[in-house]
Amino acid sequence: MHTDNHPAGDPGTATTRTLTAPPALAPLLARGAALSPFKRPRAGAGFPRTRLVLPEVRIDLARLAAYERVCGFGATGEDALPVTYPHVLAFPLAMRLMAGRAFPLPLLGLVHTSIEITRHRALAATGTYELAVHVEDLVPHRRGTEAVVVTRARDGERTVWESRSTYLARHRTDQEQEQEKEEGKEEEGRRERGAGVRQPDAVRAEWRLGGDVGRRYAAVSGDRNPIHLHPLTARVFGFPRAIAHGMWTVARCLAERPVPAAAHVRAEFRAPVLLPSTVTYAAGGPAFALRGGERLHLTGEVRELA
């Protein structure tokens, strides 16, 4: 492993580390859990300016098939990865950064709040890729602080897939005393970010989600955040029951619709999907949404790249 040492969080420096194998997730989760109580998150905190690179990544086809079953992707016989699958491949790299001592947000309880994916072409399941992950920024949020994590997949010299995710760490903020006012600002901000995205009304499917959805997705993705696994562990972080992974909800929605080989996908996780529950999938044009009754859980869109 190649390492260039620089002070973590120093904006004037950057570190690239090339790994020889994917990090093991179980020790990372244990380390992140042990460090979480000592983290004091704030938007202005320093964060690791480290770019982790994993070259020559090959796809485990059995694991891919298990992922496709859990997320509802039908067997097409095509040698192509689902548009969301590179996120799963790169997840151990993101975990290594977020479980580290230099990362200022507690790993336990982090909530995935949004993702933007750009796929420049279809990725062959039999291909070999270089993955790279880094933390781009920490930004204030009404309910805490969000980390912005950027992931890229390369095939030789070309970037073929890239994403930008935000993860929220909840904590007390100065805005809490004006909560009602800030709720209005948040909704206004969401509308601005979603400008031009028509909210679809046409219900295409209804899904009854079992209480084990979080555990099943954790088994194929490696994301074993306790908020997804069991009501008791979810309650520790303020949820009445376990919640579905955001990436499962967006993958399940995308499994219901065609995604162009070259596409831009945007999804915002607006409200947790409690497990078990019944949800409806709606779609129209580029837009899609997931609702539970009157509650809007997810909005997104798929657009073909020019």
Side-chain angles (χ1 to χ4, degrees):
M1 178 175 68
H2 172 72
T3 302
D4 294 324
N5 293 315
H6 296 289
D10 180 352
T13 63
T15 300
T16 296
R17 296 181 180 177
T18 301
L19 309 181
T20 57
L25 283 168
L28 289 177
L29 182 58
R31 183 185 184 194
L35 291 173
S36 288
F38 304 100
K39 300 292 182 73
R40 298 293 179 264
R42 56 185 176 83
F47 58 91
R49 308 281 175 163
T50 304
R51 178 175 175 266
L52 295 181
V53 176
L54 182 63
E56 298 185 3
V57 175
R58 294 178 174 84
I59 312 302
D60 181 330
L61 297 181
R63 183 184 177 197
L64 171 61
Y67 172 87
E68 291 175 328
R69 286 193 297 270
V70 169
C71 297
F73 291 100
T76 64
E78 297 180 357
D79 178 25
L81 298 177
V83 67
T84 49
Y85 197 65
H87 175 88
V88 174
L89 295 175
F91 182 69
L93 303 184
M95 276 282 289
R96 176 159 177 167
L97 291 175
M98 293 190 289
R101 190 177 300 276
F103 186 71
L105 307 184
L107 181 67
L108 291 185
L110 276 182
V111 178
H112 200 176
T113 51
S114 72
I115 187 167
E116 292 188 29
I117 296 172
T118 301
R119 183 172 69 180
H120 298 281
R121 64 168 178 79
L123 277 66
T126 52
T128 302
Y129 305 99
E130 177 190 271
L131 301 176
V133 178
H134 70 276
V135 179
E136 183 178 79
D137 202 2
L138 295 182
V139 295
H141 185 279
R142 178 178 52 81
R143 291 179 176 166
T145 301
E146 283 184 328
V148 181
V149 179
V150 173
T151 300
R152 292 188 174 91
R154 296 172 63 86
D155 178 3
E157 295 300 317
R158 299 173 298 175
T159 296
V160 292
W161 186 99
E162 50 195 319
S163 74
R164 187 176 186 270
S165 284
T166 56
Y167 295 90
L168 172 65
R170 298 187 188 193
H171 59 86
R172 292 186 61 84
T173 68
D174 294 338
Q175 296 170 317
E176 285 186 333
Q177 293 180 350
E178 302 180 9
Q179 185 171 0
E180 291 184 1
K181 180 179 178 181
E182 292 302 322
E183 285 284 354
K185 290 182 179 180
E186 180 73 6
E187 283 302 315
E188 181 180 352
R190 288 184 188 277
R191 286 194 295 270
E192 291 175 355
R193 290 195 296 274
V197 179
R198 182 176 62 84
Q199 297 303 318
D201 296 321
V203 174
R204 307 294 186 182
E206 180 179 273
W207 303 321
R208 295 182 179 179
L209 310 182
D212 65 342
V213 166
R215 294 187 292 275
R216 292 174 59 219
Y217 185 78
V220 298
S221 69
D223 184 353
R224 298 183 184 278
N225 189 324
I227 62 177
H228 304 302
L229 303 181
H230 193 276
L232 292 179
T233 54
R235 285 182 196 131
V236 174
F237 300 97
F239 299 100
R241 304 197 299 274
I243 66 173
H245 295 73
M247 285 306 297
W248 180 86
T249 63
V250 70
R252 185 67 188 89
C253 289
L254 294 174
E256 292 291 313
R257 59 175 300 138
V259 178
H264 180 76
V265 176
R266 180 159 59 106
E268 185 172 339
F269 310 114
R270 292 175 176 257
V273 177
L274 298 175
L275 300 172
S277 65
T278 299
V279 295
T280 56
Y281 165 74
F288 61 92
L290 194 68
R291 296 186 179 92
E294 296 299 317
R295 194 175 199 193
L296 185 60
H297 295 297
L298 168 71
T299 58
E301 67 174 12
V302 178
R303 294 189 180 274
E304 185 171 11
L305 292 183

